Amino acid sequence: MRINFSGSGERRPTSGAGRFARVAASVVRFWAILGGLTATALALMTAASAVSNLLFSAPFAADHELIKHFVAIVIFMFLPYCQLAGANVTVDIFTEGMGDTAKALMAAFASLLAIAFSLLLLRQMYLGLIDYRQYVEITPVLKLPLWTAFPPILVSLALLFIAACLTFADAIRAMRGRPSWFGPAAAEEEGA
């Protein structure tokens, strides 16, 4: 499934659930873009540190601490978008000959797994946040508290839960013969 709710000729769902799907998709897309910008900033910082080390024998202090801290956050920031866009790992060779209903059933099952996965991780990461807040650990050079990575990760997991619920609902819609909120029909309609 692909998501594309931007640009002119935008497909605007008319139902309340459709409007919620559109708003949630926009939030998920913004979150992924923010993750991409963060990853870009990290890459630029790493390159600048390497150049500084090469030219002046002075890399940035603790750049590795920032990389370790923020890369984990960035990875989680992409998960909700991957769920909505259907960019998770799939084996198309097995589903190639299946009908639309069977594919929608498999998508619904995959979405249920994503819902369970997101809830489990959300709970465990929340418990981890509580522990890291209670027993504060910091990075050696920058003295950055490790718990600061948890809030954006929790937001990402909450968005993953919402995205998985939306893809589940969308798969149910597809099984009932209704148009997809995120599928190829929506993209084709937008291109028209």
Side-chain angles (χ1 to χ4, degrees):
M1 292 183 220
R2 291 185 321 152
I3 179 172
N4 194 351
F5 282 125
S6 62
S8 62
E10 184 173 320
R11 181 175 186 262
R12 299 273 183 182
T14 55
S15 69
R19 279 193 296 274
F20 176 78
R22 181 175 42 84
V23 170
S26 295
V27 171
V28 164
R29 184 169 181 247
F30 171 77
W31 193 247
I33 289 170
L34 190 60
L37 292 173
T38 304
T40 302
L42 290 173
L44 292 173
M45 181 197 67
T46 301
S49 180
V51 169
S52 177
N53 188 34
L54 183 66
L55 297 178
F56 310 111
S57 296
F60 298 158
D63 59 345
H64 61 284
E65 285 183 5
L66 290 174
I67 295 295
K68 283 174 39 178
H69 195 76
F70 284 98
V71 164
I73 294 169
V74 167
I75 290 168
F76 277 94
M77 291 176 84
F78 291 131
L79 289 177
Y81 182 79
C82 288
Q83 178 64 34
L84 273 186
N88 295 320
V89 176
T90 60
V91 184
D92 292 337
I93 193 165
F94 295 115
T95 61
E96 195 173 286
M98 292 183 170
D100 290 339
T101 304
K103 287 179 184 178
L105 184 61
M106 290 184 74
F109 180 69
S111 294
L112 285 175
L113 289 177
I115 289 169
F117 173 76
S118 63
L119 288 175
L120 176 67
L121 277 181
L122 192 57
R123 178 187 180 276
Q124 293 305 110
M125 292 300 260
Y126 177 73
L127 294 174
L129 171 63
I130 292 171
D131 283 348
Y132 272 96
R133 291 281 308 197
Q134 187 175 5
Y135 307 104
V136 178
E137 289 186 44
I138 56 174
T139 60
V141 177
L142 295 176
K143 308 296 185 216
L144 180 66
L146 295 182
W147 69 263
T148 57
F150 284 83
I153 289 173
L154 289 171
V155 169
S156 296
L157 290 171
L159 288 173
L160 176 60
F161 173 74
I162 292 169
C165 289
L166 288 175
T167 56
F168 177 74
D170 198 49
I172 299 299
R173 288 174 58 84
M175 283 191 282
R176 293 180 177 167
R178 292 183 176 163
S180 173
W181 287 324
F182 313 115
E188 288 171 12
E189 186 177 307
E190 186 172 314

